[in-house]
Amino acid sequence: MPEPTQKTGSTFTEQQKTVQVAGGSRTEITTQTVKTGVQVKWQQDGKSEKTVSQTEHTKRTVIVDNKVTHQEEFSVVSGDAKGGLKQDVKLKESSVIPPPPGEAEETKPNDEVPEKQNAEETKPNDEVPEKENEQSKPNDVEPEKQNEQSKPNDVKPEKAKDEDESSSTSTPTPDDHSRSSDRKGSGWAHGEGQQHDADKRDDSQRSTLFIEKPNSGTVSVGGDIKFVAKMEAKDLLRKPVVKWLKGKWMDLASKAGKHLQLKDTFDRINKTYTFEMQIIKAKENYAGNYRCEVTYKDKFDSCSFDLEVIAAPDASQALDIRSAFKRSGEGQEDAGELDFSGLLKRREVKPEEGPEIDVWEILKSASPNEYEKIAFQYGITDLRGMLKRLKRMKREEKKSAAFSKKLDPAYQIDKGGRVRFVVELADPTVELKWYKNGQEIRPSAKYIFEHKGNQRILFINNCTLADDAAYQVCAGDEKCSTELFVREPPVLVTKELENISTYCGERVEMECEVSDEDANVKWFKNGIEITNEPRSRYRLKVDGKKHILIIDEADRGDSATYSVMTTGGQSAAQLQVDLRPLKILQPLTDMTVNLGKEINMKCEISENVPGRWYRNGQLVHGSDRVKIYHKGRNHRLIIPNCLVEDEGDYSFVPDLYLINIPANVHVIDPPKIHFDGLNYPDNTVVVVAGTKLRLEVPVTGEPAPKIIWSRGDKWITDLSGRIRAESYPDHGLLVIDSAEKDDTGTYRIMVKNEAGEAVAHIKIKVVDIPDAPLAPEVTEVGEDWCTMKWEPPLYDGGCPILGYFIERKKKQSSRWMRLNFELCKETNFEPKKMIEGVAYEVRVFAVNSIGTSKPSMPSKPFVPLAVTSAPTMLTVDGVTDTTVTMKWRPPDHIGAAGLDGYVIEYCFEGAENWIIANPEPTDKTRLTITGLPTGSKIFVRVKALNAAGQSEPRLHPNAILVKEVIVPPKIRLPRHLKQTYIRKVGETVNLVIPFQGKPRPKVSWKKNGSHVDKTQISIRNSECDTILFIRKAERSHSGKYDLKVKVENLQDKAAIYIQIVERPGPPESVVIEEVWGENVALEWKPPTDNGNAAITGYTVQKADKKTMEWFTVLEHYHRTSATISELVIGNEYYFRVFSENMCGLSETATRTPNAALIEKEGKPYKRPEYSDFDFTEAPQFTHPLVNTVAIAGYNATLNCSVRGNPKPKITWMKNKVVIMNDPRYRMFSNQSVCTLEIRKPSPYDGGTYTCKAVNDLGEAEVECKLEVKGSIGGEPFGLWKQKQLHNKDY
């Protein structure tokens, strides 16, 4: 049932109504209050009784020994005498039902006897893992009682208090710690403080929710199987949350589909929830461990089950690496699955099946980052062994000269079987040797060698685990390796484990027998493997086929389910360890001990169990000073040198028992002064001048002693002066405000009490910081460093100088920067990382043990300087028969010293001496070396100069030949200039036309056959291009421009057509031809001035005579006549027309001289007759083909435009031959624009190309010439042009 809603004024938030326990057993009754600090009293049958209670925050717990076998009633009262709340709890007797074998660990009690029959309330939260039978209930417990008992018990007793205590602050009692120890593992019995958690949940405990759990099942491959889990819904307000998992983490809800279906139903009659998981057409990889988890509010339950998938046996004897790389003992089918805990379940041992696929081939072709994924997919658990084997395989993949057939990568054989290794030699005369793990194999009854032609065969008889090794065969210098994997037969359990019940401290031996003496057997406690480690409390013994688990001294923590597992079976049994009645044979006695003497407390009990010691209710832990001994039934606590705080009430509490053995210890002590613990050498206290001294001297004594201070013969009694003394129970205090040099001297402290007195003398020394050093001197300066030195200070402050701190700053700055964070022991230093060209100053601080002195005076200012880096990008700018022109770029790093110029040096090839080309440094980055012999080769280098000297030289990598090379001129006309270049009036015309040629070509321009007027058109020529520039274009600039580039007798020409356009003028006249009905017919003539561009259309506007507001009725109209419709009858309209070209509309419009009156009804209207306009026309090219020059290797295109109706058919021809089905040509047409693309043309593609258009009315054709040029200097033109532009930049 859900927790009731808290009401206003209620003190209790969690209540237990009825608890059912076994007669003569112990139980815990728990309640929870709203807040801490509430006074709580427990009553039995209305009377206050002496009970053991515990307090944890707001939870209150009482522990009851139910000695009678009848019903009792307990009540808890909160509040004071004036008002409070009361809660009743009934305690009923129930018969004790022994738990089933799988439930021993979950019903393990917290004390001596189980508190409740419900496994969830008696199971420790941090010790026992869940099992399938964990949620079983006693048969005689009523269902409603079971539900109440299934509530989670979140109380973890840590502190205890008596029922008569009223304070909310609690102190741990012996009873509390004895119960706490029961909730921990067996390691607590030996005094170890570590707790082992097993599936611990923070907010809820496990509760019994299943009434039917899914059972393990077996299914054949391709078959169906269903798992069913049922939960009782009587006490559930809503459907619980159920998860189906495979292994430990794979949620199957996301895998539902064709092979997996999840279903849940609710039976309203029986009030049960049914959850089903059905697997359809099972596969082999579906086998493994599954888990069903159910959660409802704070309750949680889970159940594990196994699925075994049986596959048809495969007779193939090929090696299965998935089984070969499984460790011994993993014989079950689900070995290598996600949930390795499934190995604990009883399985049927099945023969190994042959692999369906060659996993070695998959691994060979896969990338290394996919190895782990493939190993996981195919169940390979020995990943390291697989990788080592794969590495050897990859090394052996190279072709062998000695072996025509090598060994297989690996072999697999059952134990006792016979294996056959075969290799085939290319040369049968080669000597062959076999090795096992590096040791040569000799012929014997076990190892048999055979020769069959070129085949060499090795037989190994009666294979054992010792034969599981790496084998190698050597033929001369070549080797061939393989691995043999020997599989063991399944080991069966022939003698099962037996349940054992014993007492704490007894020796326990659990024994079983298996079918093989050398079997690998694993022991488990509650599903956790037990290892045979030296410090483990469990010992594993093997005697032939017998396997024995030995526990020398069993305790309650050893109560659990123990199981043994082999490769072919398993067996489990219960071990129950109970407590014996305890008697006190020797109690503790009260003691009075002098301080520093030994406290020796001893008691003896009837059982050999550990326990805990308490002082004043606080747990006493063993340490170097406090010795706790436990030998057999004797327990001792020894403190060799007792202290005052060791006084108090002591008690010993045996673990697992509610027994308290008390005693009292009283400690006395004469007064003492503990000045040695203050670590003052020679009893001397050093204080810095001007600071405050608080000297605390610890004193001891019982009772607390009186403390008196004096200096010489004068007692210090003033309590408000600069020097004053104060007394405290545990120390004496001497205070000196603002210490002075005169305070140096010897002081006396005396302590006295009834047991005696003690005297000590203390020396006080007042010290100060040193004086400032003298100003430092800078002796040497570099690029970003300098060297400085200084003299020590005249006065060291009474303490040796420990070192110096150095600071620097820029001269114009006021911010000093520390240069060293570790003291400089010497009187010289080298500051680094300074900025070149900036003036700096430095200063020094002296440091002693007291502190840092004032800074010295700053040094004289200094400036670091350095040479520049080498110039960059040294290239050849030009070569003639006697000169070489070089150019370069400035250095990347110039520095504060600046750049004074450059020096150019050259050296003839084969010589070693460098000649200076410019005696005086030049500040330009270009220089011509003159007077060089024609045909010689020189090396050139350049250096940068500044005040710090010359930089590193920059050397041209190659020798330069002094000889001019003639390059024929060639104009590289840009593609956009091969067609008419159109610009508007007033725009800028800037044409850059590159060309090539050496020596520098001569460039000339002509317009329409005449020389260009340079007053209107600007022309600039360089070595590689020419620029035609018109700042504001006018229509008079339109025309044909001829460009000629000439080098000696060689020349190249190009023609450029420039068209300057502007807005057109208005139409000549607009006339109203006819008015009828609501329509007006207009006609006009084209404008006289078309703006040097074709008229693209007209815009017609209308205006009512009354308003004269103009509205557009037609836009982009192509004809010179139009009919305006939908006019308003009775109105008069004026019309005007704008002409339009590519620049836009004309600035003015032509208006009709007269207005058109739209007459009203009554006037007869004669509809004119119109004949249909004939749009058909023969083909006509509106834009012809243009002669084109293409570069070999770069795509070229030929474009033209044609019109005609019907749409003409386009045919392309080369040299009057039709181009058809040639992949080097691509023909397409878009919006009457026809294009022929020639892919990567060669010089053979040059010729005359014709475009022919044909329709029913006629035909037309246009042609052009295509010239294909080869590469320039052996390289494509694009790469050559890129280099030319690069050289132009420099």
Side-chain angles (χ1 to χ4, degrees), residues 674-675 678 680 693-699 709 728 731-734 749:
H674 301 279
F675 190 76
L678 299 180
Y680 290 129
L693 172 64
R694 288 178 58 88
L695 179 60
E696 295 183 3
V697 180
V699 298
W709 289 86
Y728 297 93
H731 68 275
L733 178 63
L734 176 65
I749 180 173

mmCIF file with all atom_site columns, all heavy atoms in Angstrom, residues 674-675 678 680 693-699 709 728 731-734 749:
data_model
loop_
_atom_site.group_PDB
_atom_site.id
_atom_site.type_symbol
_atom_site.label_atom_id
_atom_site.label_alt_id
_atom_site.label_comp_id
_atom_site.label_asym_id
_atom_site.label_entity_id
_atom_site.label_seq_id
_atom_site.pdbx_PDB_ins_code
_atom_site.Cartn_x
_atom_site.Cartn_y
_atom_site.Cartn_z
_atom_site.occupancy
_atom_site.B_iso_or_equiv
_atom_site.pdbx_formal_charge
_atom_site.auth_seq_id
_atom_site.auth_comp_id
_atom_site.auth_asym_id
_atom_site.auth_atom_id
_atom_site.pdbx_PDB_model_num
ATOM 1   N N   . HIS A 1 674 ? 55.346 21.726 28.899 1.00 0.00 ? 674 HIS A N   1
ATOM 2   C CA  . HIS A 1 674 ? 55.713 21.020 27.672 1.00 0.00 ? 674 HIS A CA  1
ATOM 3   C C   . HIS A 1 674 ? 56.243 22.030 26.660 1.00 0.00 ? 674 HIS A C   1
ATOM 4   O O   . HIS A 1 674 ? 55.627 22.304 25.626 1.00 0.00 ? 674 HIS A O   1
ATOM 5   C CB  . HIS A 1 674 ? 54.493 20.286 27.121 1.00 0.00 ? 674 HIS A CB  1
ATOM 6   C CG  . HIS A 1 674 ? 53.909 19.297 28.083 1.00 0.00 ? 674 HIS A CG  1
ATOM 7   N ND1 . HIS A 1 674 ? 54.407 18.034 28.266 1.00 0.00 ? 674 HIS A ND1 1
ATOM 8   C CD2 . HIS A 1 674 ? 52.863 19.426 28.953 1.00 0.00 ? 674 HIS A CD2 1
ATOM 9   C CE1 . HIS A 1 674 ? 53.692 17.399 29.163 1.00 0.00 ? 674 HIS A CE1 1
ATOM 10  N NE2 . HIS A 1 674 ? 52.748 18.233 29.610 1.00 0.00 ? 674 HIS A NE2 1
ATOM 11  N N   . PHE A 1 675 ? 57.394 22.577 26.954 1.00 0.00 ? 675 PHE A N   1
ATOM 12  C CA  . PHE A 1 675 ? 57.982 23.562 26.057 1.00 0.00 ? 675 PHE A CA  1
ATOM 13  C C   . PHE A 1 675 ? 58.715 22.912 24.887 1.00 0.00 ? 675 PHE A C   1
ATOM 14  O O   . PHE A 1 675 ? 58.878 23.511 23.829 1.00 0.00 ? 675 PHE A O   1
ATOM 15  C CB  . PHE A 1 675 ? 58.932 24.464 26.854 1.00 0.00 ? 675 PHE A CB  1
ATOM 16  C CG  . PHE A 1 675 ? 59.390 25.655 26.058 1.00 0.00 ? 675 PHE A CG  1
ATOM 17  C CD1 . PHE A 1 675 ? 58.533 26.728 25.848 1.00 0.00 ? 675 PHE A CD1 1
ATOM 18  C CD2 . PHE A 1 675 ? 60.660 25.709 25.517 1.00 0.00 ? 675 PHE A CD2 1
ATOM 19  C CE1 . PHE A 1 675 ? 58.944 27.817 25.117 1.00 0.00 ? 675 PHE A CE1 1
ATOM 20  C CE2 . PHE A 1 675 ? 61.079 26.801 24.786 1.00 0.00 ? 675 PHE A CE2 1
ATOM 21  C CZ  . PHE A 1 675 ? 60.211 27.869 24.593 1.00 0.00 ? 675 PHE A CZ  1
ATOM 22  N N   . LEU A 1 678 ? 57.157 22.770 21.343 1.00 0.00 ? 678 LEU A N   1
ATOM 23  C CA  . LEU A 1 678 ? 56.980 23.973 20.525 1.00 0.00 ? 678 LEU A CA  1
ATOM 24  C C   . LEU A 1 678 ? 58.046 24.113 19.454 1.00 0.00 ? 678 LEU A C   1
ATOM 25  O O   . LEU A 1 678 ? 57.985 25.027 18.629 1.00 0.00 ? 678 LEU A O   1
ATOM 26  C CB  . LEU A 1 678 ? 56.989 25.219 21.427 1.00 0.00 ? 678 LEU A CB  1
ATOM 27  C CG  . LEU A 1 678 ? 55.873 25.279 22.481 1.00 0.00 ? 678 LEU A CG  1
ATOM 28  C CD1 . LEU A 1 678 ? 56.005 26.542 23.300 1.00 0.00 ? 678 LEU A CD1 1
ATOM 29  C CD2 . LEU A 1 678 ? 54.503 25.219 21.815 1.00 0.00 ? 678 LEU A CD2 1
ATOM 30  N N   . TYR A 1 680 ? 61.205 25.111 19.495 1.00 0.00 ? 680 TYR A N   1
ATOM 31  C CA  . TYR A 1 680 ? 62.063 26.305 19.563 1.00 0.00 ? 680 TYR A CA  1
ATOM 32  C C   . TYR A 1 680 ? 63.474 25.847 19.904 1.00 0.00 ? 680 TYR A C   1
ATOM 33  O O   . TYR A 1 680 ? 63.705 25.308 20.999 1.00 0.00 ? 680 TYR A O   1
ATOM 34  C CB  . TYR A 1 680 ? 61.563 27.283 20.624 1.00 0.00 ? 680 TYR A CB  1
ATOM 35  C CG  . TYR A 1 680 ? 60.260 27.969 20.243 1.00 0.00 ? 680 TYR A CG  1
ATOM 36  C CD1 . TYR A 1 680 ? 59.180 27.994 21.120 1.00 0.00 ? 680 TYR A CD1 1
ATOM 37  C CD2 . TYR A 1 680 ? 60.122 28.594 19.018 1.00 0.00 ? 680 TYR A CD2 1
ATOM 38  C CE1 . TYR A 1 680 ? 57.998 28.618 20.784 1.00 0.00 ? 680 TYR A CE1 1
ATOM 39  C CE2 . TYR A 1 680 ? 58.944 29.220 18.661 1.00 0.00 ? 680 TYR A CE2 1
ATOM 40  C CZ  . TYR A 1 680 ? 57.879 29.228 19.544 1.00 0.00 ? 680 TYR A CZ  1
ATOM 41  O OH  . TYR A 1 680 ? 56.714 29.841 19.186 1.00 0.00 ? 680 TYR A OH  1
ATOM 42  N N   . LEU A 1 693 ? 53.726 39.221 19.477 1.00 0.00 ? 693 LEU A N   1
ATOM 43  C CA  . LEU A 1 693 ? 54.131 37.884 19.894 1.00 0.00 ? 693 LEU A CA  1
ATOM 44  C C   . LEU A 1 693 ? 53.080 37.308 20.831 1.00 0.00 ? 693 LEU A C   1
ATOM 45  O O   . LEU A 1 693 ? 52.720 37.938 21.834 1.00 0.00 ? 693 LEU A O   1
ATOM 46  C CB  . LEU A 1 693 ? 55.495 37.926 20.600 1.00 0.00 ? 693 LEU A CB  1
ATOM 47  C CG  . LEU A 1 693 ? 55.932 36.609 21.259 1.00 0.00 ? 693 LEU A CG  1
ATOM 48  C CD1 . LEU A 1 693 ? 56.140 35.516 20.216 1.00 0.00 ? 693 LEU A CD1 1
ATOM 49  C CD2 . LEU A 1 693 ? 57.198 36.809 22.081 1.00 0.00 ? 693 LEU A CD2 1
ATOM 50  N N   . ARG A 1 694 ? 52.554 36.130 20.485 1.00 0.00 ? 694 ARG A N   1
ATOM 51  C CA  . ARG A 1 694 ? 51.660 35.361 21.358 1.00 0.00 ? 694 ARG A CA  1
ATOM 52  C C   . ARG A 1 694 ? 52.320 34.013 21.595 1.00 0.00 ? 694 ARG A C   1
ATOM 53  O O   . ARG A 1 694 ? 52.297 33.144 20.744 1.00 0.00 ? 694 ARG A O   1
ATOM 54  C CB  . ARG A 1 694 ? 50.292 35.174 20.724 1.00 0.00 ? 694 ARG A CB  1
ATOM 55  C CG  . ARG A 1 694 ? 49.433 36.430 20.683 1.00 0.00 ? 694 ARG A CG  1
ATOM 56  C CD  . ARG A 1 694 ? 48.108 36.162 19.987 1.00 0.00 ? 694 ARG A CD  1
ATOM 57  N NE  . ARG A 1 694 ? 47.369 35.102 20.634 1.00 0.00 ? 694 ARG A NE  1
ATOM 58  C CZ  . ARG A 1 694 ? 46.511 35.274 21.646 1.00 0.00 ? 694 ARG A CZ  1
ATOM 59  N NH1 . ARG A 1 694 ? 46.295 36.502 22.114 1.00 0.00 ? 694 ARG A NH1 1
ATOM 60  N NH2 . ARG A 1 694 ? 45.877 34.248 22.187 1.00 0.00 ? 694 ARG A NH2 1
ATOM 61  N N   . LEU A 1 695 ? 52.942 33.885 22.740 1.00 0.00 ? 695 LEU A N   1
ATOM 62  C CA  . LEU A 1 695 ? 53.674 32.677 23.080 1.00 0.00 ? 695 LEU A CA  1
ATOM 63  C C   . LEU A 1 695 ? 52.795 31.802 23.979 1.00 0.00 ? 695 LEU A C   1
ATOM 64  O O   . LEU A 1 695 ? 52.524 32.162 25.125 1.00 0.00 ? 695 LEU A O   1
ATOM 65  C CB  . LEU A 1 695 ? 54.989 33.029 23.780 1.00 0.00 ? 695 LEU A CB  1
ATOM 66  C CG  . LEU A 1 695 ? 55.856 31.844 24.213 1.00 0.00 ? 695 LEU A CG  1
ATOM 67  C CD1 . LEU A 1 695 ? 56.255 30.985 23.025 1.00 0.00 ? 695 LEU A CD1 1
ATOM 68  C CD2 . LEU A 1 695 ? 57.088 32.343 24.953 1.00 0.00 ? 695 LEU A CD2 1
ATOM 69  N N   . GLU A 1 696 ? 52.333 30.690 23.425 1.00 0.00 ? 696 GLU A N   1
ATOM 70  C CA  . GLU A 1 696 ? 51.511 29.747 24.173 1.00 0.00 ? 696 GLU A CA  1
ATOM 71  C C   . GLU A 1 696 ? 52.374 28.563 24.574 1.00 0.00 ? 696 GLU A C   1
ATOM 72  O O   . GLU A 1 696 ? 52.922 27.870 23.717 1.00 0.00 ? 696 GLU A O   1
ATOM 73  C CB  . GLU A 1 696 ? 50.327 29.273 23.324 1.00 0.00 ? 696 GLU A CB  1
ATOM 74  C CG  . GLU A 1 696 ? 49.341 30.359 22.978 1.00 0.00 ? 696 GLU A CG  1
ATOM 75  C CD  . GLU A 1 696 ? 48.151 29.830 22.201 1.00 0.00 ? 696 GLU A CD  1
ATOM 76  O OE1 . GLU A 1 696 ? 48.094 28.600 22.006 1.00 0.00 ? 696 GLU A OE1 1
ATOM 77  O OE2 . GLU A 1 696 ? 47.279 30.624 21.806 1.00 0.00 ? 696 GLU A OE2 1
ATOM 78  N N   . VAL A 1 697 ? 52.472 28.333 25.886 1.00 0.00 ? 697 VAL A N   1
ATOM 79  C CA  . VAL A 1 697 ? 53.269 27.242 26.417 1.00 0.00 ? 697 VAL A CA  1
ATOM 80  C C   . VAL A 1 697 ? 52.314 26.201 26.997 1.00 0.00 ? 697 VAL A C   1
ATOM 81  O O   . VAL A 1 697 ? 51.595 26.486 27.968 1.00 0.00 ? 697 VAL A O   1
ATOM 82  C CB  . VAL A 1 697 ? 54.253 27.731 27.494 1.00 0.00 ? 697 VAL A CB  1
ATOM 83  C CG1 . VAL A 1 697 ? 55.074 26.562 28.028 1.00 0.00 ? 697 VAL A CG1 1
ATOM 84  C CG2 . VAL A 1 697 ? 55.164 28.804 26.917 1.00 0.00 ? 697 VAL A CG2 1
ATOM 85  N N   . PRO A 1 698 ? 52.229 25.012 26.422 1.00 0.00 ? 698 PRO A N   1
ATOM 86  C CA  . PRO A 1 698 ? 51.311 23.997 26.940 1.00 0.00 ? 698 PRO A CA  1
ATOM 87  C C   . PRO A 1 698 ? 51.754 23.520 28.320 1.00 0.00 ? 698 PRO A C   1
ATOM 88  O O   . PRO A 1 698 ? 52.944 23.325 28.580 1.00 0.00 ? 698 PRO A O   1
ATOM 89  C CB  . PRO A 1 698 ? 51.393 22.875 25.913 1.00 0.00 ? 698 PRO A CB  1
ATOM 90  C CG  . PRO A 1 698 ? 51.994 23.493 24.699 1.00 0.00 ? 698 PRO A CG  1
ATOM 91  C CD  . PRO A 1 698 ? 52.898 24.571 25.193 1.00 0.00 ? 698 PRO A CD  1
ATOM 92  N N   . VAL A 1 699 ? 50.797 23.333 29.186 1.00 0.00 ? 699 VAL A N   1
ATOM 93  C CA  . VAL A 1 699 ? 51.026 22.792 30.532 1.00 0.00 ? 699 VAL A CA  1
ATOM 94  C C   . VAL A 1 699 ? 49.995 21.716 30.782 1.00 0.00 ? 699 VAL A C   1
ATOM 95  O O   . VAL A 1 699 ? 48.903 21.719 30.211 1.00 0.00 ? 699 VAL A O   1
ATOM 96  C CB  . VAL A 1 699 ? 50.938 23.884 31.598 1.00 0.00 ? 699 VAL A CB  1
ATOM 97  C CG1 . VAL A 1 699 ? 52.004 24.938 31.377 1.00 0.00 ? 699 VAL A CG1 1
ATOM 98  C CG2 . VAL A 1 699 ? 49.564 24.521 31.636 1.00 0.00 ? 699 VAL A CG2 1
ATOM 99  N N   . TRP A 1 709 ? 54.294 34.256 35.223 1.00 0.00 ? 709 TRP A N   1
ATOM 100 C CA  . TRP A 1 709 ? 55.385 34.679 34.335 1.00 0.00 ? 709 TRP A CA  1
ATOM 101 C C   . TRP A 1 709 ? 56.222 35.748 35.041 1.00 0.00 ? 709 TRP A C   1
ATOM 102 O O   . TRP A 1 709 ? 55.708 36.559 35.810 1.00 0.00 ? 709 TRP A O   1
ATOM 103 C CB  . TRP A 1 709 ? 54.839 35.252 33.030 1.00 0.00 ? 709 TRP A CB  1
ATOM 104 C CG  . TRP A 1 709 ? 54.217 34.237 32.102 1.00 0.00 ? 709 TRP A CG  1
ATOM 105 C CD1 . TRP A 1 709 ? 52.956 33.790 32.116 1.00 0.00 ? 709 TRP A CD1 1
ATOM 106 C CD2 . TRP A 1 709 ? 54.890 33.562 31.030 1.00 0.00 ? 709 TRP A CD2 1
ATOM 107 N NE1 . TRP A 1 709 ? 52.752 32.872 31.116 1.00 0.00 ? 709 TRP A NE1 1
ATOM 108 C CE2 . TRP A 1 709 ? 53.935 32.716 30.421 1.00 0.00 ? 709 TRP A CE2 1
ATOM 109 C CE3 . TRP A 1 709 ? 56.201 33.598 30.522 1.00 0.00 ? 709 TRP A CE3 1
ATOM 110 C CZ2 . TRP A 1 709 ? 54.256 31.914 29.349 1.00 0.00 ? 709 TRP A CZ2 1
ATOM 111 C CZ3 . TRP A 1 709 ? 56.497 32.799 29.447 1.00 0.00 ? 709 TRP A CZ3 1
ATOM 112 C CH2 . TRP A 1 709 ? 55.533 31.960 28.871 1.00 0.00 ? 709 TRP A CH2 1
ATOM 113 N N   . TYR A 1 728 ? 45.497 29.855 31.365 1.00 0.00 ? 728 TYR A N   1
ATOM 114 C CA  . TYR A 1 728 ? 44.403 28.993 30.931 1.00 0.00 ? 728 TYR A CA  1
ATOM 115 C C   . TYR A 1 728 ? 44.638 27.607 31.519 1.00 0.00 ? 728 TYR A C   1
ATOM 116 O O   . TYR A 1 728 ? 45.756 27.270 31.916 1.00 0.00 ? 728 TYR A O   1
ATOM 117 C CB  . TYR A 1 728 ? 44.326 28.935 29.410 1.00 0.00 ? 728 TYR A CB  1
ATOM 118 C CG  . TYR A 1 728 ? 44.019 30.274 28.772 1.00 0.00 ? 728 TYR A CG  1
ATOM 119 C CD1 . TYR A 1 728 ? 45.054 31.121 28.342 1.00 0.00 ? 728 TYR A CD1 1
ATOM 120 C CD2 . TYR A 1 728 ? 42.706 30.703 28.608 1.00 0.00 ? 728 TYR A CD2 1
ATOM 121 C CE1 . TYR A 1 728 ? 44.767 32.346 27.767 1.00 0.00 ? 728 TYR A CE1 1
ATOM 122 C CE2 . TYR A 1 728 ? 42.421 31.925 28.035 1.00 0.00 ? 728 TYR A CE2 1
ATOM 123 C CZ  . TYR A 1 728 ? 43.445 32.751 27.614 1.00 0.00 ? 728 TYR A CZ  1
ATOM 124 O OH  . TYR A 1 728 ? 43.161 33.959 27.053 1.00 0.00 ? 728 TYR A OH  1
ATOM 125 N N   . HIS A 1 731 ? 47.278 25.839 29.094 1.00 0.00 ? 731 HIS A N   1
ATOM 126 C CA  . HIS A 1 731 ? 48.465 26.517 28.611 1.00 0.00 ? 731 HIS A CA  1
ATOM 127 C C   . HIS A 1 731 ? 48.581 27.897 29.250 1.00 0.00 ? 731 HIS A C   1
ATOM 128 O O   . HIS A 1 731 ? 47.592 28.462 29.740 1.00 0.00 ? 731 HIS A O   1
ATOM 129 C CB  . HIS A 1 731 ? 48.443 26.647 27.089 1.00 0.00 ? 731 HIS A CB  1
ATOM 130 C CG  . HIS A 1 731 ? 47.389 27.588 26.575 1.00 0.00 ? 731 HIS A CG  1
ATOM 131 N ND1 . HIS A 1 731 ? 46.100 27.194 26.363 1.00 0.00 ? 731 HIS A ND1 1
ATOM 132 C CD2 . HIS A 1 731 ? 47.440 28.916 26.244 1.00 0.00 ? 731 HIS A CD2 1
ATOM 133 C CE1 . HIS A 1 731 ? 45.393 28.217 25.938 1.00 0.00 ? 731 HIS A CE1 1
ATOM 134 N NE2 . HIS A 1 731 ? 46.184 29.280 25.838 1.00 0.00 ? 731 HIS A NE2 1
ATOM 135 N N   . GLY A 1 732 ? 49.842 28.405 29.209 1.00 0.00 ? 732 GLY A N   1
ATOM 136 C CA  . GLY A 1 732 ? 50.115 29.768 29.651 1.00 0.00 ? 732 GLY A CA  1
ATOM 137 C C   . GLY A 1 732 ? 50.442 30.633 28.452 1.00 0.00 ? 732 GLY A C   1
ATOM 138 O O   . GLY A 1 732 ? 51.123 30.190 27.525 1.00 0.00 ? 732 GLY A O   1
ATOM 139 N N   . LEU A 1 733 ? 49.987 31.925 28.478 1.00 0.00 ? 733 LEU A N   1
ATOM 140 C CA  . LEU A 1 733 ? 50.120 32.803 27.326 1.00 0.00 ? 733 LEU A CA  1
ATOM 141 C C   . LEU A 1 733 ? 50.890 34.052 27.707 1.00 0.00 ? 733 LEU A C   1
ATOM 142 O O   . LEU A 1 733 ? 50.542 34.730 28.679 1.00 0.00 ? 733 LEU A O   1
ATOM 143 C CB  . LEU A 1 733 ? 48.730 33.182 26.791 1.00 0.00 ? 733 LEU A CB  1
ATOM 144 C CG  . LEU A 1 733 ? 48.710 34.148 25.610 1.00 0.00 ? 733 LEU A CG  1
ATOM 145 C CD1 . LEU A 1 733 ? 49.398 33.541 24.399 1.00 0.00 ? 733 LEU A CD1 1
ATOM 146 C CD2 . LEU A 1 733 ? 47.275 34.546 25.277 1.00 0.00 ? 733 LEU A CD2 1
ATOM 147 N N   . LEU A 1 734 ? 51.968 34.370 26.910 1.00 0.00 ? 734 LEU A N   1
ATOM 148 C CA  . LEU A 1 734 ? 52.732 35.598 27.053 1.00 0.00 ? 734 LEU A CA  1
ATOM 149 C C   . LEU A 1 734 ? 52.523 36.418 25.785 1.00 0.00 ? 734 LEU A C   1
ATOM 150 O O   . LEU A 1 734 ? 52.806 35.947 24.691 1.00 0.00 ? 734 LEU A O   1
ATOM 151 C CB  . LEU A 1 734 ? 54.214 35.299 27.252 1.00 0.00 ? 734 LEU A CB  1
ATOM 152 C CG  . LEU A 1 734 ? 55.129 36.535 27.327 1.00 0.00 ? 734 LEU A CG  1
ATOM 153 C CD1 . LEU A 1 734 ? 54.792 37.376 28.566 1.00 0.00 ? 734 LEU A CD1 1
ATOM 154 C CD2 . LEU A 1 734 ? 56.602 36.117 27.348 1.00 0.00 ? 734 LEU A CD2 1
ATOM 155 N N   . ILE A 1 749 ? 58.762 30.984 33.413 1.00 0.00 ? 749 ILE A N   1
ATOM 156 C CA  . ILE A 1 749 ? 57.394 30.531 33.636 1.00 0.00 ? 749 ILE A CA  1
ATOM 157 C C   . ILE A 1 749 ? 57.396 29.481 34.731 1.00 0.00 ? 749 ILE A C   1
ATOM 158 O O   . ILE A 1 749 ? 58.250 28.582 34.721 1.00 0.00 ? 749 ILE A O   1
ATOM 159 C CB  . ILE A 1 749 ? 56.751 29.977 32.340 1.00 0.00 ? 749 ILE A CB  1
ATOM 160 C CG1 . ILE A 1 749 ? 55.318 29.517 32.610 1.00 0.00 ? 749 ILE A CG1 1
ATOM 161 C CG2 . ILE A 1 749 ? 57.576 28.889 31.697 1.00 0.00 ? 749 ILE A CG2 1
ATOM 162 C CD1 . ILE A 1 749 ? 54.566 29.116 31.352 1.00 0.00 ? 749 ILE A CD1 1
#
